[in-house]
């Protein structure tokens, strides 16, 4: 839109004092310029837009990680596996029941919430007060265990979800976007807003924030900390699971994806600031756009490298991340 | 005496890292009483409050509330029985607003239904908190944070409130305000266990007192008795 207006202004300015033939040739060259320019522009806009869309999904994954860390001071190294569980839930429910991906995401949310809740009750709670290196080992162990279970259950081969949705696109002006990506981003964005509102305004959300802010203070006023922790872990796992189900039309379901997602979630959270809600969202958007732009500017293989470069730059100039708290 | 006590502590011991913070402390409070536990730094005052509240489990001994053993109960169940505390260092939620802090104080089943009314009564007591209710609690001054901690304890509709050194870190003027707030709450019918380093002020406020030294009760009696005791005068009142 902007470029078209600029080209129009150029043309008027150019046409003021030339002879008709010159004017035609200039108009043609400006026109090709305009076409090329607008092609480049639309390419860039498309890339940035799809980066933003993926960024919202990354934001949701990172939110799951950051909420668990913020409340429990526990780092979930098995977060990527939880995303992959979600991918498989999306994959199987679309294949077996041909449900829309949104229904699969709802199923993933429910299953992963219950999974996270009981994982906390059975295992994680025993290590909440342990030193960090104990927790580290426990979560790496869980992550290996979950990957192993996925391998045994589904085998190492990628399974393409390849639903109709994977190939559909939507055009908005000069933007042409994957429907699957748009839908994933829309649902992720909506969930982020809803979760934010729940934490901000509900009575349980208030207790959760209080426990995150001051655990001893929470014990003093009688908050049922174990219950808050189990629900928090459930919410975190559900965020990962939903995000996994939402992107199942875009990624082939494969157990080895987990490590990538864990690392990506970490980069996102650290860029945004550990334990910060807004930080997870902003970090997700930054990483999503950085990935997309890297693929366009350098080469697609740079796609995974740039977020880490960005991480290093941000750690140098702003070690707390965008919104990080000083004491973290 | 034991039967009518609202809260009774019997032979409470607490060991931290091998050293004994509490060495068989016994005390009791009847309904409507205002008693104080005084002692120097490190005498075990905070340990006493924490083990009653269940945040640090006692190694041995018994705590009873209305005759029921609560020694091994988790803190949230103890709070639900009506034991609230204004903790050392206030322990407010700095990243939450003043009003949110107060509402979290009413998250217990015993208090939730009436939280709107209780909130109103806390605001009536501390006008300053009403003025600042949208402000983050971490931005309040020390005295205001102390009021918030007291307000938050009131929000749980407690049977008994334990104050852990409410005057610590406050100016002499604010300390007087804090003591008058404690007195006011008592006059309104609250049962109060006040733990203080400020021996003279707290004894003159209370009916009875206990003197804690190295984790043991070395003296107890009415405030007049303690204030006229030569040991107390020498060790704590500088006479």
């Amino acid at each position: 839109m902007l470029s078209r207006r600029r080209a129009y202004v150029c043309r008027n300015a150019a046409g003021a004092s030339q002879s008709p033939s010159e004017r035609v040739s200039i108009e043609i060259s400006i026109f090709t310029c305009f076409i090329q320019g607008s092609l480049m522009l639309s390419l860039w806009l498309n890339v940035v837009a799809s980066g933003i869309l993926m960024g919202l999904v990354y934001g949701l994954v990172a939110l799951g990680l950051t909420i668990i860390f913020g409340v429990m001071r526990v780092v979930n190294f098995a977060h990527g596996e939880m995303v992959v569980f979600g991918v498989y839930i999306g994959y199987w429910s679309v294949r077996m029941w041909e449900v829309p991906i949104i229904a699969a995401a709802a199923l993933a949310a429910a299953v992963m919430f219950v999974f996270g809740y009981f994982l906390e009750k059975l295992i994680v709670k025993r290590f909440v007060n342990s030193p960090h290196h104990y927790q580290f080992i426990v979560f790496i162990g869980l992550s290996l265990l979950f990957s192993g279970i996925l391998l045994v259950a589904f085998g190492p081969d990628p399974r393409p979800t390849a639903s109709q949705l994977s190939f559909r696109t939507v055009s908005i002006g000069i933007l042409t976007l994957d429907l699957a990506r748009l839908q994933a981003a829309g649902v992720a964005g909506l969930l982020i807003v809803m979760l934010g509102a729940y934490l901000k305004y509900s009575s349980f959300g208030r207790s959760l924030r209080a426990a995150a802010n001051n655990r001893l203070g929470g014990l003093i006023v009688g908050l049922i900390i174990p219950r808050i922790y189990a629900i928090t872990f459930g919410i975190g796992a559900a965020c990962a699971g939903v995000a996994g189900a939402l992107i199942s039309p875009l990624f082939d379901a494969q157990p080895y994806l987990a490590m990538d997602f864990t690392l990506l979630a970490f980069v996102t959270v650290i860029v945004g600031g550990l334990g910060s809600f807004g930080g997870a969202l902003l970090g997700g958007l930054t990483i999503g756009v950085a990935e997309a732009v890297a693929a366009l500017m350098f080469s697609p293989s740079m796609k995974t490298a740039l977020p880490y470069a960005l991480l290093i730059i941000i750690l140098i100039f702003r070690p707390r991340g965008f919104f990080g708290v000083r004491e973290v | 005496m034991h039967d009518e006590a609202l809260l009774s502590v019997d032979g409470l011991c607490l060991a931290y890292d091998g050293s004994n913070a509490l060495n068989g402390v016994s005390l009791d409070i009847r309904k409507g009483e205002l008693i104080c536990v005084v002692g120097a730094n490190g005498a075990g005052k905070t340990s006493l409050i924490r083990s009653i509240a269940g945040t640090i489990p006692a190694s041995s001994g018994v705590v009873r509330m209305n005759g029921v053993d609560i020694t091994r109960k988790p803190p949230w169940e103890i709070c639900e029985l009506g034991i609230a505390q204004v903790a050392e260092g206030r322990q407010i939620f700095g990243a939450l607003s003043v009003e949110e802090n107060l509402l979290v104080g009413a998250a217990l089943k015993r208090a939730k239904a009436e939280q709107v009314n209780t909130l109103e009564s806390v605001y009536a007591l501390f006008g300053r908190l009403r003025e600042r209710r949208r402000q983050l609690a971490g931005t309040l001054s020390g005295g205001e944070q102390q009021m918030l901690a007291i307000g938050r304890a009131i929000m749980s509709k407690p049977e008994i409130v334990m104050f852990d050194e409410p005057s610590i870190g406050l100016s002499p003027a604010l300390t007087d305000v804090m003591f008058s707030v404690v007195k006011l709450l008592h006059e309104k019918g609250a049962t109060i266990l006040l733990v203080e380093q400020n021996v003279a002020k707290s004894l003159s406020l209370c009916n009875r007192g206990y003197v804690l030294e190295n984790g043991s009760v070395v003296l107890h009696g009415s405030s007049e008795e303690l204030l006229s005791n030569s040991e107390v005068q020498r060790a704590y009142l500088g006479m």
Side-chain angles (χ1 to χ4, degrees):
Chain A
M1 199 56 201
L2 201 74
S3 75
R4 201 171 295 169
R5 190 173 304 144
R6 197 185 301 141
Y8 178 76
V9 171
C10 282
R11 207 158 39 187
N12 274 358
S17 63
Q18 260 90 25
S19 70
S21 62
E22 276 176 320
R23 207 157 97 185
V24 169
S25 73
I26 287 174
E27 274 193 4
I28 288 172
S29 70
I30 287 180
F31 187 65
T32 49
C33 233
F34 162 68
I35 294 281
Q36 276 176 348
S38 87
L39 264 180
M40 263 325 269
L41 184 77
S42 91
L43 181 60
W44 272 95
L45 282 180
N46 271 302
V47 164
V48 170
S50 77
I52 290 173
L53 295 184
M54 269 324 274
L56 281 167
V57 179
Y58 292 159
L60 185 60
V61 175
L63 201 58
L65 190 69
T66 214
I67 200 173
I68 291 173
F69 177 80
V71 174
M72 305 171 67
R73 301 280 138 179
V74 155
V75 178
N76 179 18
F77 285 100
H79 207 63
E81 275 74 12
M82 295 182 179
V83 177
V84 174
F85 281 149
V87 174
Y88 275 101
I89 292 172
Y91 167 76
W92 279 108
S93 46
V94 168
R95 248 192 82 168
M96 298 203 340
W97 305 305
E98 292 175 0
V99 292
I101 203 73
I102 292 182
L107 178 68
V111 170
M112 291 310 292
F113 177 83
V114 173
F115 177 78
Y117 184 90
F118 285 104
L119 185 69
E120 203 281 340
K121 284 268 177 203
L122 289 174
I123 299 170
V124 177
K125 78 165 189 189
R126 292 165 215 280
F127 298 93
V128 166
N129 297 320
S130 310
H132 285 302
H133 57 282
Y134 281 43
Q135 294 172 356
F136 185 87
I137 300 292
V138 169
F139 280 104
I140 295 288
L142 286 176
S143 135
L144 291 173
L145 175 71
F146 296 153
S147 282
I149 291 172
L150 285 170
L151 273 173
V152 170
F154 302 113
D157 302 322
R159 291 166 187 260
T161 311
S163 67
Q164 284 297 312
L165 184 65
S166 309
F167 303 105
R168 253 186 260 162
T169 57
V170 183
S171 292
I172 308 162
I174 52 169
L175 294 177
T176 304
L177 302 166
D178 292 345
L179 186 60
R181 205 172 280 235
L182 197 63
Q183 194 174 303
V187 175
L190 189 69
L191 284 176
I192 291 171
V193 171
M194 279 168 54
L195 186 57
Y198 179 70
L199 292 178
K200 181 89 183 118
Y201 299 110
S202 76
S203 142
F204 182 78
R206 199 160 53 218
S207 298
L208 187 145
R209 282 182 296 129
N213 184 222
N214 182 348
R215 181 171 177 273
L216 178 59
L219 284 174
I220 283 167
V221 298
L223 295 180
I224 306 174
I225 299 283
R227 185 164 149 258
I228 291 178
Y229 280 8
I231 293 177
T232 299
F233 210 85
I235 292 174
C239 286
V242 171
L246 287 173
I247 55 172
S248 64
L250 302 168
F251 287 79
D252 295 345
Q254 190 196 7
Y256 300 120
L257 276 177
M259 204 39 168
D260 294 351
F261 278 119
T262 302
L263 286 176
L264 202 65
F266 269 81
V267 176
T268 308
V269 162
I270 293 169
V271 165
L274 217 50
S276 151
F277 193 99
L281 183 56
L282 187 63
L285 292 174
T286 311
I287 298 298
V289 173
E291 265 194 3
V293 169
L296 182 64
M297 268 176 73
F298 307 109
S299 76
S301 56
M302 285 297 286
K303 189 180 153 194
T304 35
L306 196 78
Y308 294 97
L310 197 69
L311 170 72
I312 292 169
I313 294 168
I314 286 176
L315 283 180
I316 291 171
F317 291 105
R318 197 171 162 79
R320 290 183 275 138
F322 293 144
F323 291 137
V325 194
R326 199 174 296 263
E327 71 219 12
V328 178
Chain B
M1 175 124 169
H2 235 112
D3 301 321
E4 50 181 300
L6 179 63
L7 181 78
S8 76
V9 174
D10 202 357
L12 203 64
C13 292
L14 178 69
Y16 271 125
D17 304 326
S19 67
N20 284 347
L22 294 179
N23 253 326
V25 173
S26 299
L27 54 85
D28 46 27
I29 312 164
R30 290 185 299 270
K31 198 168 170 53
E33 251 190 327
L34 166 56
I35 71 157
C36 62
V37 175
V38 296
N41 251 338
K45 302 188 303 291
T46 296
S47 302
L48 174 65
I49 292 227
R50 291 194 176 169
S51 52
I52 293 174
T55 47
I56 302 174
S59 358
S60 65
V62 187
V63 181
R64 289 192 192 84
M65 175 78 178
N66 284 322
V68 181
D69 183 352
I70 60 165
T71 324
R72 303 269 167 258
K73 283 193 194 299
W76 44 94
E77 285 180 27
I78 292 174
C79 288
E80 199 66 72
L81 289 170
I83 301 179
Q85 63 167 312
V86 178
E88 185 192 25
R90 300 162 197 134
Q91 303 298 344
I92 57 163
F93 307 112
L96 271 62
S97 74
V98 167
E99 186 152 306
E100 285 176 332
N101 267 270
L102 292 172
L103 290 173
V104 170
L108 297 168
K109 277 188 221 101
R110 62 180 290 120
K112 196 149 202 172
E114 285 189 63
Q115 67 177 22
V116 179
N117 293 334
T118 331
L119 187 66
E120 204 41 53
S121 66
V122 169
Y123 281 153
L125 189 62
F126 301 116
R128 187 62 69 85
L129 294 183
R130 191 202 299 271
E131 284 166 29
R132 314 220 154 182
R133 64 181 194 270
R134 306 250 170 267
Q135 201 172 316
L136 289 186
T139 64
L140 297 180
S141 72
E144 290 163 347
Q145 291 191 3
Q146 191 66 59
M147 286 177 192
L148 181 59
I150 296 173
R152 191 178 65 176
I154 297 173
M155 288 301 291
S156 69
K157 306 213 68 113
E159 302 271 323
I160 174 167
V161 186
M162 305 188 289
F163 284 83
D164 192 352
E165 307 223 15
S167 73
I168 206 163
L170 297 183
S171 69
L174 273 174
T175 304
D176 288 342
V177 171
M178 213 47 66
F179 278 111
S180 64
V181 166
V182 172
K183 193 163 175 222
L184 180 69
L185 287 177
H186 177 236
E187 282 163 3
K188 286 186 162 187
T191 308
I192 292 172
L193 169 61
L194 175 66
V195 159
E196 257 299 334
Q197 228 180 133
N198 194 331
V199 177
K201 276 215 171 98
S202 40
L203 279 178
S204 57
L205 197 68
C206 298
N207 320 110
R208 289 192 300 128
Y210 292 79
V211 180
L212 208 57
E213 251 172 45
N214 296 323
S216 309
V217 174
V218 290
L219 273 174
H220 79 271
S222 72
S223 296
E224 294 81 31
E225 281 166 18
L226 290 178
L227 280 170
S228 58
N229 181 295
S230 59
E231 268 301 295
V232 174
Q233 289 185 343
R234 191 189 53 76
Y236 299 102
L237 304 176
M239 291 184 193

